[in-house]
Amino acid sequence: MKDDIINSFTFKFRLFKQPKKIGDTFEHRSTTYLIIGIENFELLYESVLEVSYICQNIQRNDFKRKVYKPSYQLEFVMRRKYDDSKRIKELMLGNIFEFKGENYKIMEYTKINLEHVDISISFLARPVYPINPKEAKSKYINERKKKLQLEVF
């Protein structure tokens, strides 16, 4: 049986019309869904924003699952002009950005707002830390040995 508790839905919005938010509900085929996450977004052309949402069927309550608790994350808000597609693409899930000398990876969107000619994107990001220098040096030496096909006796 297909698990229909969590589903993904995609909506298209004309610019300058607010997209749906986390916590909003909607009906689809006589089933009520709650938006619990933003999966992705794309500016299709200058006047249409396509947003994919993670939704929960709130008419079903016959399941037993653990509630998700995210690891250490910070919330960021970035604002971009709607026609600045190059800088908007920098805000895609999985991308790395720098803030106050630290690197962060974009993990999950929390809100997308349209404010006049700007798109305001809120998202959660987790810090990305390098491995310690001794471990990095050891891995580098091992890789060089493999590449040069050296063996130590």
Side-chain angles (χ1 to χ4, degrees), residues 41 74-82 87-88 90-92 95-100 102 104-106 109-115 118-125:
F41 74 95
L74 297 174
E75 185 164 14
F76 291 88
V77 178
M78 299 242 180
R79 186 181 234 152
R80 302 286 189 255
K81 294 278 184 217
Y82 78 95
R87 291 185 65 213
I88 288 173
E90 293 172 354
L91 301 177
M92 294 291 115
N95 284 0
I96 306 291
F97 67 97
E98 188 176 325
F99 179 73
K100 293 187 177 180
E102 298 290 329
Y104 294 89
K105 180 179 179 180
I106 300 173
Y109 300 116
T110 56
K111 189 186 293 183
I112 298 175
N113 274 337
L114 298 170
E115 301 166 0
D118 293 342
I119 297 176
S120 175
I121 302 160
S122 301
F123 56 89
L124 296 176

